[in-house]
Amino acid sequence: DAKTTQPPSMDCAEGRAANLPCNHSTISGNEYVYWYRQIHSQGPQYIIHGLKNNETNEMASLIITEDRKSSTLILPHATLRDTAVYYCIVRAFLDGNKLVFGAGTILRVKS
Amino acid sequence: DTAVSQTPKYLVTQMGNDKSIKCEQNLGHDTMYWYKQDSKKFLKIMFSYNNKELIINETVPNRFSPKSPDKAHLNLHINSLELGDSAVYFCASSPNVGRGNYGYTFGSGTRLTVV
């Protein structure tokens, strides 16, 4: 599995954009980048995924660099309910479809 | 409707006991998983079943035995419980292996405490 590196924690002001970085320099050509989050005491929640192109959905945007060695998850207008651990995962596509979670980034949204 | 449901939500039991955790998904997914999240908050995959067939077993002690009676259910039975088994166990499901990169749907977890 390609490994990811994320900062252990970040703070963001409520209403501002939260930009969460992720490095995945050993990513393979057919591996996707996934983002999940885990709000306290709940199960992880799927946010978004992408291969090469930038992606956007109702929750967030995903920006992947041209060399695919890093990406950024953007929450455009963070709210207090976005406080969670955010996981950047490179999908082990050929390895039984499993997701391997790292330590993630604790995002604290403050009022 | 809850997409992935686990029961019980909390389980407190003594060392040496045998216990089961049940998981059901109503999403029509073919693949189901068990993950363990320990006190350090790391999520680790334990098992994966695809259409009732075991496809991932991450060197979990054989005291842990998953069972999938059909593709909508994946139960976890634990024999001879130990203190180190205390953790939150999450069930998840996803569409079939190889059918593209779809997200997992997780249940809300079962907090197991062994005393």
Side-chain angles (χ1 to χ4, degrees), chain A residues 32 34 36 38 42-44 46 49 87 91 93 96-99 101 103, chain B residues 33 35 37 42-43 45 56 58 90 94 97 101-104 106-107:
Chain A
Y32 285 65
Y34 280 77
Y36 283 75
Q38 187 174 24
Q42 298 181 21
Y46 165 80
H49 75 276
Y87 298 98
R91 177 74 165 265
F93 189 66
N97 208 39
K98 69 182 181 184
L99 283 176
F101 288 82
Chain B
Y33 313 81
Y35 278 79
Q37 188 168 40
F42 283 104
L43 271 161
I45 190 166
I56 294 175
E58 290 288 316
F90 289 100
S94 71
V97 172
N101 284 277
Y102 297 99
Y104 286 24
F106 282 82

PDB file of all heavy atoms in Angstrom, chain A residues 32 34 36 38 42-44 46 49 87 91 93 96-99 101 103, chain B residues 33 35 37 42-43 45 56 58 90 94 97 101-104 106-107:
ATOM      1  N   TYR A  32      -6.357   5.289  -6.255  1.00  0.00           N
ATOM      2  CA  TYR A  32      -7.165   6.463  -6.003  1.00  0.00           C
ATOM      3  C   TYR A  32      -6.826   7.051  -4.640  1.00  0.00           C
ATOM      4  O   TYR A  32      -6.350   6.344  -3.741  1.00  0.00           O
ATOM      5  CB  TYR A  32      -8.651   6.098  -6.008  1.00  0.00           C
ATOM      6  CG  TYR A  32      -9.236   5.858  -7.378  1.00  0.00           C
ATOM      7  CD1 TYR A  32      -8.819   4.791  -8.161  1.00  0.00           C
ATOM      8  CD2 TYR A  32     -10.225   6.691  -7.884  1.00  0.00           C
ATOM      9  CE1 TYR A  32      -9.363   4.574  -9.405  1.00  0.00           C
ATOM     10  CE2 TYR A  32     -10.785   6.473  -9.126  1.00  0.00           C
ATOM     11  CZ  TYR A  32     -10.349   5.416  -9.890  1.00  0.00           C
ATOM     12  OH  TYR A  32     -10.889   5.203 -11.127  1.00  0.00           O
ATOM     13  N   TYR A  34      -8.604   8.607  -1.375  1.00  0.00           N
ATOM     14  CA  TYR A  34      -9.878   8.678  -0.675  1.00  0.00           C
ATOM     15  C   TYR A  34      -9.737   9.552   0.571  1.00  0.00           C
ATOM     16  O   TYR A  34      -8.689   9.578   1.204  1.00  0.00           O
ATOM     17  CB  TYR A  34     -10.317   7.292  -0.193  1.00  0.00           C
ATOM     18  CG  TYR A  34     -10.937   6.425  -1.241  1.00  0.00           C
ATOM     19  CD1 TYR A  34     -10.161   5.776  -2.185  1.00  0.00           C
ATOM     20  CD2 TYR A  34     -12.318   6.233  -1.276  1.00  0.00           C
ATOM     21  CE1 TYR A  34     -10.737   4.970  -3.140  1.00  0.00           C
ATOM     22  CE2 TYR A  34     -12.899   5.433  -2.232  1.00  0.00           C
ATOM     23  CZ  TYR A  34     -12.107   4.807  -3.157  1.00  0.00           C
ATOM     24  OH  TYR A  34     -12.687   4.013  -4.109  1.00  0.00           O
ATOM     25  N   TYR A  36     -11.878  10.179   4.213  1.00  0.00           N
ATOM     26  CA  TYR A  36     -12.928   9.832   5.159  1.00  0.00           C
ATOM     27  C   TYR A  36     -12.758  10.722   6.390  1.00  0.00           C
ATOM     28  O   TYR A  36     -11.692  11.273   6.623  1.00  0.00           O
ATOM     29  CB  TYR A  36     -12.807   8.370   5.617  1.00  0.00           C
ATOM     30  CG  TYR A  36     -13.297   7.363   4.626  1.00  0.00           C
ATOM     31  CD1 TYR A  36     -12.541   7.050   3.501  1.00  0.00           C
ATOM     32  CD2 TYR A  36     -14.513   6.722   4.807  1.00  0.00           C
ATOM     33  CE1 TYR A  36     -12.995   6.123   2.579  1.00  0.00           C
ATOM     34  CE2 TYR A  36     -14.973   5.791   3.887  1.00  0.00           C
ATOM     35  CZ  TYR A  36     -14.208   5.507   2.781  1.00  0.00           C
ATOM     36  OH  TYR A  36     -14.660   4.593   1.865  1.00  0.00           O
ATOM     37  N   GLN A  38     -14.000  10.904  10.758  1.00  0.00           N
ATOM     38  CA  GLN A  38     -14.622  10.244  11.879  1.00  0.00           C
ATOM     39  C   GLN A  38     -14.920  11.280  12.941  1.00  0.00           C
ATOM     40  O   GLN A  38     -14.004  11.831  13.556  1.00  0.00           O
ATOM     41  CB  GLN A  38     -13.737   9.134  12.442  1.00  0.00           C
ATOM     42  CG  GLN A  38     -14.433   8.312  13.512  1.00  0.00           C
ATOM     43  CD  GLN A  38     -13.612   7.132  13.977  1.00  0.00           C
ATOM     44  OE1 GLN A  38     -12.396   7.122  13.872  1.00  0.00           O
ATOM     45  NE2 GLN A  38     -14.286   6.113  14.491  1.00  0.00           N
ATOM     46  N   GLN A  42     -18.364   8.115  16.392  1.00  0.00           N
ATOM     47  CA  GLN A  42     -19.157   7.603  15.278  1.00  0.00           C
ATOM     48  C   GLN A  42     -18.294   6.768  14.338  1.00  0.00           C
ATOM     49  O   GLN A  42     -17.069   6.775  14.432  1.00  0.00           O
ATOM     50  CB  GLN A  42     -19.783   8.759  14.496  1.00  0.00           C
ATOM     51  CG  GLN A  42     -20.747   9.602  15.306  1.00  0.00           C
ATOM     52  CD  GLN A  42     -21.362  10.714  14.478  1.00  0.00           C
ATOM     53  OE1 GLN A  42     -21.397  10.658  13.258  1.00  0.00           O
ATOM     54  NE2 GLN A  42     -21.853  11.749  15.148  1.00  0.00           N
ATOM     55  N   GLY A  43     -18.933   6.062  13.409  1.00  0.00           N
ATOM     56  CA  GLY A  43     -18.199   5.332  12.397  1.00  0.00           C
ATOM     57  C   GLY A  43     -17.630   6.280  11.358  1.00  0.00           C
ATOM     58  O   GLY A  43     -18.164   7.372  11.144  1.00  0.00           O
ATOM     59  N   PRO A  44     -16.545   5.898  10.700  1.00  0.00           N
ATOM     60  CA  PRO A  44     -15.978   6.741   9.640  1.00  0.00           C
ATOM     61  C   PRO A  44     -17.002   7.007   8.550  1.00  0.00           C
ATOM     62  O   PRO A  44     -17.848   6.169   8.256  1.00  0.00           O
ATOM     63  CB  PRO A  44     -14.800   5.910   9.120  1.00  0.00           C
ATOM     64  CG  PRO A  44     -14.433   5.026  10.260  1.00  0.00           C
ATOM     65  CD  PRO A  44     -15.736   4.706  10.946  1.00  0.00           C
ATOM     66  N   TYR A  46     -17.492   8.402   4.542  1.00  0.00           N
ATOM     67  CA  TYR A  46     -16.882   8.689   3.253  1.00  0.00           C
ATOM     68  C   TYR A  46     -17.130  10.148   2.881  1.00  0.00           C
ATOM     69  O   TYR A  46     -18.242  10.663   3.056  1.00  0.00           O
ATOM     70  CB  TYR A  46     -17.475   7.774   2.186  1.00  0.00           C
ATOM     71  CG  TYR A  46     -17.205   8.183   0.765  1.00  0.00           C
ATOM     72  CD1 TYR A  46     -15.987   7.899   0.166  1.00  0.00           C
ATOM     73  CD2 TYR A  46     -18.168   8.865   0.030  1.00  0.00           C
ATOM     74  CE1 TYR A  46     -15.742   8.273  -1.146  1.00  0.00           C
ATOM     75  CE2 TYR A  46     -17.928   9.255  -1.277  1.00  0.00           C
ATOM     76  CZ  TYR A  46     -16.708   8.949  -1.868  1.00  0.00           C
ATOM     77  OH  TYR A  46     -16.469   9.329  -3.162  1.00  0.00           O
ATOM     78  N   HIS A  49     -13.467  10.988  -3.277  1.00  0.00           N
ATOM     79  CA  HIS A  49     -12.279  10.327  -3.777  1.00  0.00           C
ATOM     80  C   HIS A  49     -11.975  10.824  -5.186  1.00  0.00           C
ATOM     81  O   HIS A  49     -12.846  11.387  -5.863  1.00  0.00           O
ATOM     82  CB  HIS A  49     -12.428   8.802  -3.749  1.00  0.00           C
ATOM     83  CG  HIS A  49     -13.319   8.231  -4.818  1.00  0.00           C
ATOM     84  ND1 HIS A  49     -14.690   8.168  -4.678  1.00  0.00           N
ATOM     85  CD2 HIS A  49     -13.038   7.696  -6.024  1.00  0.00           C
ATOM     86  CE1 HIS A  49     -15.212   7.617  -5.744  1.00  0.00           C
ATOM     87  NE2 HIS A  49     -14.237   7.319  -6.597  1.00  0.00           N
ATOM     88  N   TYR A  87      -9.129  11.383   7.473  1.00  0.00           N
ATOM     89  CA  TYR A  87      -8.187  10.386   6.994  1.00  0.00           C
ATOM     90  C   TYR A  87      -8.018  10.485   5.484  1.00  0.00           C
ATOM     91  O   TYR A  87      -9.004  10.469   4.738  1.00  0.00           O
ATOM     92  CB  TYR A  87      -8.674   8.980   7.311  1.00  0.00           C
ATOM     93  CG  TYR A  87      -8.831   8.665   8.777  1.00  0.00           C
ATOM     94  CD1 TYR A  87     -10.075   8.749   9.405  1.00  0.00           C
ATOM     95  CD2 TYR A  87      -7.739   8.252   9.533  1.00  0.00           C
ATOM     96  CE1 TYR A  87     -10.220   8.447  10.733  1.00  0.00           C
ATOM     97  CE2 TYR A  87      -7.889   7.943  10.879  1.00  0.00           C
ATOM     98  CZ  TYR A  87      -9.131   8.037  11.467  1.00  0.00           C
ATOM     99  OH  TYR A  87      -9.268   7.731  12.789  1.00  0.00           O
ATOM    100  N   ARG A  91      -6.005   3.918  -1.949  1.00  0.00           N
ATOM    101  CA  ARG A  91      -6.716   2.651  -2.035  1.00  0.00           C
ATOM    102  C   ARG A  91      -5.821   1.553  -2.543  1.00  0.00           C
ATOM    103  O   ARG A  91      -5.269   1.644  -3.634  1.00  0.00           O
ATOM    104  CB  ARG A  91      -7.905   2.812  -2.955  1.00  0.00           C
ATOM    105  CG  ARG A  91      -8.704   1.562  -3.208  1.00  0.00           C
ATOM    106  CD  ARG A  91      -9.531   1.218  -1.998  1.00  0.00           C
ATOM    107  NE  ARG A  91     -10.550   0.249  -2.353  1.00  0.00           N
ATOM    108  CZ  ARG A  91     -11.810   0.561  -2.690  1.00  0.00           C
ATOM    109  NH1 ARG A  91     -12.175   1.820  -2.713  1.00  0.00           N
ATOM    110  NH2 ARG A  91     -12.654  -0.370  -3.002  1.00  0.00           N
ATOM    111  N   PHE A  93      -6.014  -1.065  -4.319  1.00  0.00           N
ATOM    112  CA  PHE A  93      -7.059  -1.543  -5.219  1.00  0.00           C
ATOM    113  C   PHE A  93      -6.978  -3.030  -5.505  1.00  0.00           C
ATOM    114  O   PHE A  93      -7.982  -3.702  -5.635  1.00  0.00           O
ATOM    115  CB  PHE A  93      -7.013  -0.754  -6.528  1.00  0.00           C
ATOM    116  CG  PHE A  93      -8.176  -1.025  -7.437  1.00  0.00           C
ATOM    117  CD1 PHE A  93      -9.450  -0.655  -7.058  1.00  0.00           C
ATOM    118  CD2 PHE A  93      -7.991  -1.647  -8.650  1.00  0.00           C
ATOM    119  CE1 PHE A  93     -10.535  -0.898  -7.880  1.00  0.00           C
ATOM    120  CE2 PHE A  93      -9.073  -1.895  -9.484  1.00  0.00           C
ATOM    121  CZ  PHE A  93     -10.345  -1.519  -9.100  1.00  0.00           C
ATOM    122  N   GLY A  96      -7.598  -6.928  -2.210  1.00  0.00           N
ATOM    123  CA  GLY A  96      -8.865  -7.311  -1.589  1.00  0.00           C
ATOM    124  C   GLY A  96      -9.780  -6.154  -1.301  1.00  0.00           C
ATOM    125  O   GLY A  96     -10.688  -6.268  -0.489  1.00  0.00           O
ATOM    126  N   ASN A  97      -9.540  -5.031  -1.962  1.00  0.00           N
ATOM    127  CA  ASN A  97     -10.457  -3.906  -1.835  1.00  0.00           C
ATOM    128  C   ASN A  97     -10.391  -3.231  -0.471  1.00  0.00           C
ATOM    129  O   ASN A  97     -11.258  -2.478  -0.129  1.00  0.00           O
ATOM    130  CB  ASN A  97     -11.902  -4.359  -2.083  1.00  0.00           C
ATOM    131  CG  ASN A  97     -12.777  -3.258  -2.636  1.00  0.00           C
ATOM    132  OD1 ASN A  97     -12.336  -2.470  -3.454  1.00  0.00           O
ATOM    133  ND2 ASN A  97     -13.996  -3.188  -2.177  1.00  0.00           N
ATOM    134  N   LYS A  98      -9.391  -3.487   0.344  1.00  0.00           N
ATOM    135  CA  LYS A  98      -9.418  -2.979   1.712  1.00  0.00           C
ATOM    136  C   LYS A  98      -8.925  -1.543   1.781  1.00  0.00           C
ATOM    137  O   LYS A  98      -8.121  -1.086   0.983  1.00  0.00           O
ATOM    138  CB  LYS A  98      -8.566  -3.844   2.637  1.00  0.00           C
ATOM    139  CG  LYS A  98      -7.073  -3.762   2.392  1.00  0.00           C
ATOM    140  CD  LYS A  98      -6.335  -4.696   3.341  1.00  0.00           C
ATOM    141  CE  LYS A  98      -4.827  -4.601   3.119  1.00  0.00           C
ATOM    142  NZ  LYS A  98      -4.095  -5.565   3.976  1.00  0.00           N
ATOM    143  N   LEU A  99      -9.432  -0.825   2.782  1.00  0.00           N
ATOM    144  CA  LEU A  99      -8.971   0.517   3.109  1.00  0.00           C
ATOM    145  C   LEU A  99      -8.055   0.419   4.312  1.00  0.00           C
ATOM    146  O   LEU A  99      -8.394  -0.222   5.294  1.00  0.00           O
ATOM    147  CB  LEU A  99     -10.154   1.414   3.467  1.00  0.00           C
ATOM    148  CG  LEU A  99     -11.013   1.956   2.322  1.00  0.00           C
ATOM    149  CD1 LEU A  99     -12.182   2.733   2.901  1.00  0.00           C
ATOM    150  CD2 LEU A  99     -10.211   2.847   1.412  1.00  0.00           C
ATOM    151  N   PHE A 101      -6.289   2.618   7.161  1.00  0.00           N
ATOM    152  CA  PHE A 101      -6.358   3.932   7.804  1.00  0.00           C
ATOM    153  C   PHE A 101      -5.043   4.255   8.501  1.00  0.00           C
ATOM    154  O   PHE A 101      -4.460   3.405   9.171  1.00  0.00           O
ATOM    155  CB  PHE A 101      -7.475   3.959   8.847  1.00  0.00           C
ATOM    156  CG  PHE A 101      -8.858   3.972   8.256  1.00  0.00           C
ATOM    157  CD1 PHE A 101      -9.460   2.802   7.832  1.00  0.00           C
ATOM    158  CD2 PHE A 101      -9.565   5.164   8.139  1.00  0.00           C
ATOM    159  CE1 PHE A 101     -10.732   2.813   7.286  1.00  0.00           C
ATOM    160  CE2 PHE A 101     -10.839   5.186   7.604  1.00  0.00           C
ATOM    161  CZ  PHE A 101     -11.422   4.013   7.170  1.00  0.00           C
ATOM    162  N   ALA A 103      -3.104   7.649  10.854  1.00  0.00           N
ATOM    163  CA  ALA A 103      -3.436   8.383  12.073  1.00  0.00           C
ATOM    164  C   ALA A 103      -4.387   9.545  11.804  1.00  0.00           C
ATOM    165  O   ALA A 103      -5.100   9.986  12.700  1.00  0.00           O
ATOM    166  CB  ALA A 103      -2.170   8.897  12.742  1.00  0.00           C
TER     167      ALA A 103
ATOM    168  N   TYR B  33     -17.045  -5.903   6.043  1.00  0.00           N
ATOM    169  CA  TYR B  33     -15.768  -5.838   6.748  1.00  0.00           C
ATOM    170  C   TYR B  33     -15.996  -5.712   8.247  1.00  0.00           C
ATOM    171  O   TYR B  33     -16.998  -5.165   8.694  1.00  0.00           O
ATOM    172  CB  TYR B  33     -14.964  -4.613   6.302  1.00  0.00           C
ATOM    173  CG  TYR B  33     -14.885  -4.399   4.815  1.00  0.00           C
ATOM    174  CD1 TYR B  33     -15.926  -3.787   4.130  1.00  0.00           C
ATOM    175  CD2 TYR B  33     -13.762  -4.798   4.097  1.00  0.00           C
ATOM    176  CE1 TYR B  33     -15.863  -3.581   2.758  1.00  0.00           C
ATOM    177  CE2 TYR B  33     -13.685  -4.598   2.726  1.00  0.00           C
ATOM    178  CZ  TYR B  33     -14.745  -3.996   2.059  1.00  0.00           C
ATOM    179  OH  TYR B  33     -14.658  -3.793   0.705  1.00  0.00           O
ATOM    180  N   TYR B  35     -13.668  -3.897  11.315  1.00  0.00           N
ATOM    181  CA  TYR B  35     -12.518  -3.106  11.713  1.00  0.00           C
ATOM    182  C   TYR B  35     -12.500  -3.017  13.233  1.00  0.00           C
ATOM    183  O   TYR B  35     -13.548  -3.002  13.878  1.00  0.00           O
ATOM    184  CB  TYR B  35     -12.597  -1.683  11.151  1.00  0.00           C
ATOM    185  CG  TYR B  35     -12.140  -1.527   9.722  1.00  0.00           C
ATOM    186  CD1 TYR B  35     -12.974  -1.894   8.667  1.00  0.00           C
ATOM    187  CD2 TYR B  35     -10.885  -1.011   9.426  1.00  0.00           C
ATOM    188  CE1 TYR B  35     -12.557  -1.746   7.356  1.00  0.00           C
ATOM    189  CE2 TYR B  35     -10.459  -0.851   8.113  1.00  0.00           C
ATOM    190  CZ  TYR B  35     -11.301  -1.220   7.088  1.00  0.00           C
ATOM    191  OH  TYR B  35     -10.882  -1.069   5.784  1.00  0.00           O
ATOM    192  N   GLN B  37     -10.970  -0.578  16.395  1.00  0.00           N
ATOM    193  CA  GLN B  37     -10.341   0.686  16.777  1.00  0.00           C
ATOM    194  C   GLN B  37      -9.999   0.623  18.255  1.00  0.00           C
ATOM    195  O   GLN B  37     -10.886   0.598  19.106  1.00  0.00           O
ATOM    196  CB  GLN B  37     -11.248   1.875  16.482  1.00  0.00           C
ATOM    197  CG  GLN B  37     -10.567   3.220  16.688  1.00  0.00           C
ATOM    198  CD  GLN B  37     -11.379   4.371  16.122  1.00  0.00           C
ATOM    199  OE1 GLN B  37     -12.601   4.408  16.230  1.00  0.00           O
ATOM    200  NE2 GLN B  37     -10.711   5.334  15.500  1.00  0.00           N
ATOM    201  N   PHE B  42      -6.378   3.909  16.422  1.00  0.00           N
ATOM    202  CA  PHE B  42      -6.062   3.414  15.093  1.00  0.00           C
ATOM    203  C   PHE B  42      -7.126   2.426  14.642  1.00  0.00           C
ATOM    204  O   PHE B  42      -7.511   1.526  15.391  1.00  0.00           O
ATOM    205  CB  PHE B  42      -4.691   2.734  15.082  1.00  0.00           C
ATOM    206  CG  PHE B  42      -3.556   3.696  15.071  1.00  0.00           C
ATOM    207  CD1 PHE B  42      -2.831   3.936  16.222  1.00  0.00           C
ATOM    208  CD2 PHE B  42      -3.220   4.383  13.919  1.00  0.00           C
ATOM    209  CE1 PHE B  42      -1.791   4.852  16.217  1.00  0.00           C
ATOM    210  CE2 PHE B  42      -2.185   5.288  13.909  1.00  0.00           C
ATOM    211  CZ  PHE B  42      -1.463   5.521  15.065  1.00  0.00           C
ATOM    212  N   LEU B  43      -7.579   2.600  13.395  1.00  0.00           N
ATOM    213  CA  LEU B  43      -8.550   1.698  12.790  1.00  0.00           C
ATOM    214  C   LEU B  43      -7.808   0.636  12.003  1.00  0.00           C
ATOM    215  O   LEU B  43      -7.083   0.941  11.060  1.00  0.00           O
ATOM    216  CB  LEU B  43      -9.453   2.475  11.834  1.00  0.00           C
ATOM    217  CG  LEU B  43     -10.714   3.089  12.398  1.00  0.00           C
ATOM    218  CD1 LEU B  43     -11.229   4.181  11.488  1.00  0.00           C
ATOM    219  CD2 LEU B  43     -11.786   2.021  12.603  1.00  0.00           C
ATOM    220  N   ILE B  45      -8.152  -3.105   9.878  1.00  0.00           N
ATOM    221  CA  ILE B  45      -9.057  -4.083   9.301  1.00  0.00           C
ATOM    222  C   ILE B  45      -8.767  -5.453   9.905  1.00  0.00           C
ATOM    223  O   ILE B  45      -7.623  -5.812  10.179  1.00  0.00           O
ATOM    224  CB  ILE B  45      -8.944  -4.126   7.764  1.00  0.00           C
ATOM    225  CG1 ILE B  45     -10.064  -4.975   7.175  1.00  0.00           C
ATOM    226  CG2 ILE B  45      -7.573  -4.614   7.321  1.00  0.00           C
ATOM    227  CD1 ILE B  45     -10.243  -4.826   5.693  1.00  0.00           C
ATOM    228  N   ILE B  56     -10.295 -11.463   3.188  1.00  0.00           N
ATOM    229  CA  ILE B  56      -9.210 -10.854   3.952  1.00  0.00           C
ATOM    230  C   ILE B  56      -9.272 -11.384   5.385  1.00  0.00           C
ATOM    231  O   ILE B  56     -10.318 -11.375   6.014  1.00  0.00           O
ATOM    232  CB  ILE B  56      -9.310  -9.314   3.988  1.00  0.00           C
ATOM    233  CG1 ILE B  56      -9.108  -8.723   2.603  1.00  0.00           C
ATOM    234  CG2 ILE B  56      -8.280  -8.726   4.953  1.00  0.00           C
ATOM    235  CD1 ILE B  56      -9.306  -7.214   2.560  1.00  0.00           C
ATOM    236  N   GLU B  58      -6.687 -10.554   8.466  1.00  0.00           N
ATOM    237  CA  GLU B  58      -5.455  -9.847   8.799  1.00  0.00           C
ATOM    238  C   GLU B  58      -4.802 -10.403  10.059  1.00  0.00           C
ATOM    239  O   GLU B  58      -4.664  -9.710  11.058  1.00  0.00           O
ATOM    240  CB  GLU B  58      -5.749  -8.349   8.951  1.00  0.00           C
ATOM    241  CG  GLU B  58      -6.072  -7.672   7.653  1.00  0.00           C
ATOM    242  CD  GLU B  58      -4.868  -7.514   6.752  1.00  0.00           C
ATOM    243  OE1 GLU B  58      -3.799  -7.130   7.252  1.00  0.00           O
ATOM    244  OE2 GLU B  58      -4.996  -7.792   5.550  1.00  0.00           O
ATOM    245  N   PHE B  90     -16.039  -1.854  14.355  1.00  0.00           N
ATOM    246  CA  PHE B  90     -16.886  -1.271  13.321  1.00  0.00           C
ATOM    247  C   PHE B  90     -17.095  -2.264  12.192  1.00  0.00           C
ATOM    248  O   PHE B  90     -16.143  -2.878  11.698  1.00  0.00           O
ATOM    249  CB  PHE B  90     -16.245  -0.006  12.727  1.00  0.00           C
ATOM    250  CG  PHE B  90     -16.243   1.173  13.648  1.00  0.00           C
ATOM    251  CD1 PHE B  90     -15.106   1.508  14.362  1.00  0.00           C
ATOM    252  CD2 PHE B  90     -17.382   1.952  13.797  1.00  0.00           C
ATOM    253  CE1 PHE B  90     -15.093   2.603  15.216  1.00  0.00           C
ATOM    254  CE2 PHE B  90     -17.390   3.051  14.643  1.00  0.00           C
ATOM    255  CZ  PHE B  90     -16.237   3.366  15.359  1.00  0.00           C
ATOM    256  N   SER B  94     -19.291  -2.413   1.230  1.00  0.00           N
ATOM    257  CA  SER B  94     -19.002  -1.693   0.000  1.00  0.00           C
ATOM    258  C   SER B  94     -19.496  -2.524  -1.180  1.00  0.00           C
ATOM    259  O   SER B  94     -19.674  -3.739  -1.048  1.00  0.00           O
ATOM    260  CB  SER B  94     -17.502  -1.406  -0.130  1.00  0.00           C
ATOM    261  OG  SER B  94     -16.791  -2.596  -0.389  1.00  0.00           O
ATOM    262  N   VAL B  97     -15.928  -6.029  -5.014  1.00  0.00           N
ATOM    263  CA  VAL B  97     -14.521  -5.864  -5.361  1.00  0.00           C
ATOM    264  C   VAL B  97     -14.395  -5.814  -6.868  1.00  0.00           C
ATOM    265  O   VAL B  97     -14.950  -6.619  -7.582  1.00  0.00           O
ATOM    266  CB  VAL B  97     -13.685  -7.047  -4.823  1.00  0.00           C
ATOM    267  CG1 VAL B  97     -12.260  -6.966  -5.342  1.00  0.00           C
ATOM    268  CG2 VAL B  97     -13.712  -7.070  -3.323  1.00  0.00           C
ATOM    269  N   ASN B 101     -14.287   2.237  -7.703  1.00  0.00           N
ATOM    270  CA  ASN B 101     -13.837   2.754  -6.423  1.00  0.00           C
ATOM    271  C   ASN B 101     -14.968   3.445  -5.695  1.00  0.00           C
ATOM    272  O   ASN B 101     -15.123   4.653  -5.767  1.00  0.00           O
ATOM    273  CB  ASN B 101     -12.668   3.701  -6.664  1.00  0.00           C
ATOM    274  CG  ASN B 101     -11.423   2.919  -6.958  1.00  0.00           C
ATOM    275  OD1 ASN B 101     -10.746   2.473  -6.064  1.00  0.00           O
ATOM    276  ND2 ASN B 101     -11.137   2.730  -8.222  1.00  0.00           N
ATOM    277  N   TYR B 102     -15.748   2.667  -5.013  1.00  0.00           N
ATOM    278  CA  TYR B 102     -16.845   3.210  -4.246  1.00  0.00           C
ATOM    279  C   TYR B 102     -16.463   3.295  -2.779  1.00  0.00           C
ATOM    280  O   TYR B 102     -15.669   2.523  -2.273  1.00  0.00           O
ATOM    281  CB  TYR B 102     -18.078   2.324  -4.393  1.00  0.00           C
ATOM    282  CG  TYR B 102     -18.588   2.272  -5.815  1.00  0.00           C
ATOM    283  CD1 TYR B 102     -18.268   1.217  -6.639  1.00  0.00           C
ATOM    284  CD2 TYR B 102     -19.382   3.295  -6.319  1.00  0.00           C
ATOM    285  CE1 TYR B 102     -18.719   1.172  -7.932  1.00  0.00           C
ATOM    286  CE2 TYR B 102     -19.840   3.253  -7.605  1.00  0.00           C
ATOM    287  CZ  TYR B 102     -19.518   2.200  -8.409  1.00  0.00           C
ATOM    288  OH  TYR B 102     -19.966   2.154  -9.691  1.00  0.00           O
ATOM    289  N   GLY B 103     -17.091   4.234  -2.087  1.00  0.00           N
ATOM    290  CA  GLY B 103     -16.803   4.397  -0.671  1.00  0.00           C
ATOM    291  C   GLY B 103     -17.423   3.298   0.171  1.00  0.00           C
ATOM    292  O   GLY B 103     -18.374   2.642  -0.230  1.00  0.00           O
ATOM    293  N   TYR B 104     -16.815   3.129   1.317  1.00  0.00           N
ATOM    294  CA  TYR B 104     -17.368   2.221   2.314  1.00  0.00           C
ATOM    295  C   TYR B 104     -18.464   2.945   3.096  1.00  0.00           C
ATOM    296  O   TYR B 104     -18.396   4.151   3.305  1.00  0.00           O
ATOM    297  CB  TYR B 104     -16.309   1.833   3.328  1.00  0.00           C
ATOM    298  CG  TYR B 104     -15.248   0.859   2.896  1.00  0.00           C
ATOM    299  CD1 TYR B 104     -14.893   0.677   1.581  1.00  0.00           C
ATOM    300  CD2 TYR B 104     -14.575   0.119   3.869  1.00  0.00           C
ATOM    301  CE1 TYR B 104     -13.890  -0.209   1.223  1.00  0.00           C
ATOM    302  CE2 TYR B 104     -13.569  -0.777   3.528  1.00  0.00           C
ATOM    303  CZ  TYR B 104     -13.231  -0.936   2.212  1.00  0.00           C
ATOM    304  OH  TYR B 104     -12.245  -1.810   1.871  1.00  0.00           O
ATOM    305  N   PHE B 106     -19.913   2.707   6.921  1.00  0.00           N
ATOM    306  CA  PHE B 106     -19.613   2.118   8.224  1.00  0.00           C
ATOM    307  C   PHE B 106     -20.829   2.133   9.128  1.00  0.00           C
ATOM    308  O   PHE B 106     -21.686   3.027   9.037  1.00  0.00           O
ATOM    309  CB  PHE B 106     -18.488   2.902   8.916  1.00  0.00           C
ATOM    310  CG  PHE B 106     -17.123   2.581   8.398  1.00  0.00           C
ATOM    311  CD1 PHE B 106     -16.649   3.188   7.240  1.00  0.00           C
ATOM    312  CD2 PHE B 106     -16.301   1.682   9.063  1.00  0.00           C
ATOM    313  CE1 PHE B 106     -15.390   2.896   6.754  1.00  0.00           C
ATOM    314  CE2 PHE B 106     -15.032   1.387   8.582  1.00  0.00           C
ATOM    315  CZ  PHE B 106     -14.576   1.991   7.426  1.00  0.00           C
ATOM    316  N   GLY B 107     -20.863   1.160  10.031  1.00  0.00           N
ATOM    317  CA  GLY B 107     -21.849   1.184  11.094  1.00  0.00           C
ATOM    318  C   GLY B 107     -21.398   2.131  12.204  1.00  0.00           C
ATOM    319  O   GLY B 107     -20.320   2.724  12.140  1.00  0.00           O
TER     320      GLY B 107
END
